[in-house]
């Protein structure tokens, strides 16, 4: 049942476990940030120390399971199992269950102040909506399940590679750069702040009617009901009721005109959404491609509040690796800087997301990416490839992370979520 391994000072143990128990062990170990072998070692040690036998575990359908234990522990375990007249499979299952019982899943870490992420760029077509949706989906994934996540070193590798060569779609798909991690499990509200209703349509929801209530009405001080009544849940089977959407309405085309008559108009979005913040950990605003009053209101909403740490809320800027995005970036940051100075407020930059990237497009793409990397503050926090799954998800009106949860784009969205967190 065991054999020495030259890779470490542990010995390899081969036994069996039921699939459901092995999966629970994988998830819980990841939640606590420890290796599976460490959890099994602790469970066996505690099981061997028990004064009485725990409840029997259903081991029907158990299949092969291997791990590495300190030298001698398996022999000790085997002897105690013989004394207690239980099979090694039953004893191992009881040990694993004992560890699970004594190491419950940690609570989801929730922010004291609702985090507000404003996804923006006055240039259309850069993919703000896709980033808004993907980020929100990644933040709302199940904390009791494991998902493929591209770790930070992969982003660094892709960025460095852009300096030296073209000809390979980034990011790299090296499996060594992937980790399986629990979902953040946050309560997320996506706000479609664009009169074109792209976010609403892409997620399969229905835009609000022009003659009904809307976010625009609430911002203009003319509400027709409770804003909470307009919110819809997105794909409850996948996100467990943690991902919600406030749909857009075409009346937002008139928002700047209506805001011009509102007092303290830069705070209009904050006033409208204030009653919802208690229900959510994160609110993500998909901004229109505009530098008008609506963008002022969005940027103000993302400002750092009293008692809020730097980088908890702010502006997430979506760009592409091409020249026109750089021009739009300058205009946007100038507007935000003017707002900072005029109102004496702090608006943090959460980072730059380079979207729809494909290094096969050659020098323009790779040199532009390097230009974004050289900015340093804000730094590049996401690199999303131009691949087919996002377009397919939009076509079928499904969230990307439920339509293609193992795609490179989904993996990169999860990495972005962890960078922003």
């Amino acid at each position: 049942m065991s054999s020495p391994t030259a890779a470490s000072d542990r010995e390899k143990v081969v036994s069996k476990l039921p699939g459901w128990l092995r999966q629970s062990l994988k998830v819980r170990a990841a939640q606590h940030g420890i290796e599976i072998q460490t959890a099994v070692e602790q469970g066996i040690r505690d099981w061997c120390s028990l004064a009485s036998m725990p409840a029997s575990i259903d081991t029907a359908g158990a299949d092969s399971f291997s791990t590495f234990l300190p030298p001698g522990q398996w022999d000790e375990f085997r002897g105690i199992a013989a004394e207690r007249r239980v099979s090694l499979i039953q004893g191992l299952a009881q040990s694993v269950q004992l560890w699970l019982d004594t190491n419950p899943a940690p609570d989801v870490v929730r922010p004291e102040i609702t985090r507000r992420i404003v996804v923006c760029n006055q240039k259309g077509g850069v993919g703000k909506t896709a980033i808004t949706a993907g980020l929100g989906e990644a933040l709302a994934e199940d904390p009791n399940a494991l998902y493929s996540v591209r770790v930070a070193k992969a982003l660094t590798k892709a960025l460095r590679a852009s300096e030296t060569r073209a000809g390979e779609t980034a990011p790299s798909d090296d499996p060594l750069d992937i980790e399986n991690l629990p979902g953040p499990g946050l309560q997320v509200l996506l706000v479609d702040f664009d009169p074109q209703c792209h976010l609403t349509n892409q997620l399969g929801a229905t835009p609000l009617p022009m003659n009904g209530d809307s976010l625009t009405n609430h911002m203009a001080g003319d509400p027709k009901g409770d804003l909470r009544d307009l919110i819809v849940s997105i794909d409850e089977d996948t996100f467990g009721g943690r991902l919600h959407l406030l749909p857009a309405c075409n009346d937002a085309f008139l928002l700047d005109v209506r805001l011009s008559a509102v007092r303290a108009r830069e705070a209009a979005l904050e006033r409208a959404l204030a009653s919802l913040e208690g229900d959510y950990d994160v609110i993500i605003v998909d901004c229109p491609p505009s530098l008008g009053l609506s963008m002022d209101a969005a940027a103000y909403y993302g400002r750092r509040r009293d008692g809020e740490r730097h980088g908890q809320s702010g502006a997430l800027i979506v760009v592409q690796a091409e020249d026109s995005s750089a021009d739009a970036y300058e205009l946007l940051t100038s507007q935000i800087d003017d707002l900072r100075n005029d109102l004496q407020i702090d608006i943090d930059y959460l980072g730059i997301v380079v979207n729809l990237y494909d290094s096969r497009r050659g020098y323009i793409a790779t040199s532009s990416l390097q230009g974004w990397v050289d900015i340093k503050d804000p730094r590049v926090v996401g690199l999303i490839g131009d691949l087919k799954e996002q377009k397919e998800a939009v076509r079928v009106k499904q969230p990307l992370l439920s339509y293609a949860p193992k795609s490179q784009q989904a993996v990169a969205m999860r990495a972005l979520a962890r960078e922003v967190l």
Side-chain angles (χ1 to χ4, degrees):
M1 298 282 292
S2 65
S3 61
T5 175
S8 69
D9 59 354
R10 291 174 172 253
E11 59 181 5
K12 185 176 182 179
V13 172
V14 180
S15 185
K16 290 185 176 182
L17 269 183
W20 62 269
L21 190 56
R22 185 170 60 252
Q23 182 62 22
S24 296
L25 174 63
K26 287 174 60 178
V27 172
R28 192 69 54 79
Q31 289 173 329
H32 286 278
I34 67 173
E35 295 183 351
I36 291 176
Q37 64 183 19
T38 302
V40 176
E41 174 191 342
Q42 293 173 356
I44 289 178
R45 185 185 62 231
D46 293 342
W47 184 84
C48 290
S49 301
L50 290 175
S52 60
M53 284 288 291
S56 181
I57 303 294
D58 182 2
T59 59
D63 54 16
S64 181
F65 171 78
S66 64
T67 188
F68 293 89
L69 297 176
Q73 187 182 44
W74 186 251
D75 289 336
E76 178 189 3
F77 168 72
R78 186 161 46 191
I80 293 176
E83 291 176 5
R84 295 177 178 175
R85 297 183 179 181
V86 298
S87 68
L88 293 177
I89 296 173
Q90 179 63 214
L92 180 59
Q94 291 180 7
S95 299
V96 170
Q97 186 61 58
L98 178 61
W99 184 84
L100 291 170
D101 292 342
T102 54
N103 294 272
D107 293 334
V108 173
V109 178
R110 305 193 182 281
E112 295 182 5
I113 299 174
T114 299
R115 300 184 65 177
R116 301 155 325 280
I117 300 174
V118 178
V119 182
C120 52
N121 191 334
Q122 65 92 19
K123 183 181 184 301
V126 296
K128 294 186 295 294
T129 297
I131 298 302
T132 299
L135 175 60
E137 293 160 24
L139 291 173
E141 285 189 311
D142 189 353
N144 295 309
L146 298 181
Y147 303 92
S148 297
V149 180
R150 189 173 299 283
V151 295
K153 66 179 181 180
L155 176 58
T156 301
K157 178 193 294 185
L159 296 179
R160 288 176 178 170
S162 74
E163 301 176 20
T164 58
R165 73 179 190 274
E168 177 184 342
T169 301
S172 156
D173 59 358
D174 183 347
L176 295 179
D177 294 329
I178 303 296
E179 289 185 3
N180 290 320
L181 299 175
L186 298 178
Q187 297 287 334
V188 179
L189 175 64
L190 305 176
V191 177
D192 193 347
F193 196 41
D194 187 342
Q196 299 172 93
C197 307
H198 289 322
L199 180 62
T200 302
N201 289 321
Q202 287 185 20
L203 293 177
T206 302
L208 299 172
M210 287 285 288
N211 59 351
D213 202 8
S214 67
L215 178 59
T216 300
N217 288 337
H218 284 256
M219 291 180 65
D222 186 27
K224 297 182 180 180
D226 189 336
L227 197 61
R228 189 174 282 102
D229 294 337
L230 305 180
I231 293 173
V232 297
S233 183
I234 300 297
D235 195 349
E236 293 206 5
D237 290 340
T238 299
F239 302 104
R242 292 179 296 274
L243 182 64
H244 292 166
L245 169 71
L246 177 57
C249 177
N250 293 137
D251 68 355
F253 280 115
L254 305 173
L255 180 57
D256 280 9
V257 174
R258 296 182 69 179
L259 283 181
S260 64
V262 174
R263 297 183 65 180
R265 53 181 175 262
E266 67 279 352
L269 181 60
E270 181 164 305
R271 288 195 297 267
L273 297 179
S275 64
L276 305 178
E277 290 184 3
D279 299 332
Y280 297 99
D281 301 311
V282 184
I283 295 179
I284 308 176
V285 180
D286 183 26
C287 294
S290 165
L291 293 177
L293 298 179
S294 56
M295 186 59 223
D296 279 348
Y300 184 86
Y301 184 59
R303 82 192 189 286
R304 193 191 319 158
R305 295 178 180 173
D306 291 342
E308 190 171 23
R309 289 188 293 111
H310 181 277
Q312 292 294 288
S313 298
L316 184 66
I317 304 175
V318 182
V319 300
Q320 286 182 299
E322 41 82 28
D323 294 341
S324 60
S325 276
D327 297 335
Y329 170 82
E330 294 294 338
L331 292 171
L332 174 63
T333 53
S334 293
Q335 179 178 7
I336 291 176
D337 289 343
D338 288 344
L339 198 63
R340 282 169 161 174
N341 295 329
D342 292 345
L343 300 179
Q344 294 297 295
I345 57 176
D346 293 313
I347 302 174
D348 297 331
Y349 290 114
L350 302 182
I352 296 172
V353 181
V354 182
N355 192 31
L356 301 172
Y357 181 72
D358 186 347
S359 63
R360 293 175 301 183
R361 292 174 181 149
Y363 174 73
I364 294 295
T366 57
S367 62
S368 294
L369 175 59
Q370 186 56 45
W372 294 120
V373 174
D374 288 342
I375 291 176
K376 304 300 183 186
D377 184 21
R379 65 187 179 92
V380 173
V381 294
L383 182 64
I384 313 296
D386 186 8
L387 302 172
K388 64 183 179 63
E389 286 81 7
Q390 177 65 55
K391 298 179 179 67
E392 292 173 350
V394 171
R395 173 66 65 86
V396 299
K397 298 184 182 300
Q398 289 184 21
L400 170 67
L401 272 64
S402 55
Y403 173 76
K406 297 182 179 180
S407 66
Q408 289 187 41
Q409 287 171 317
V411 170
M413 290 293 185
R414 297 187 186 107
L416 169 63
R418 282 158 176 79
E419 286 289 320
V420 171
L421 282 177

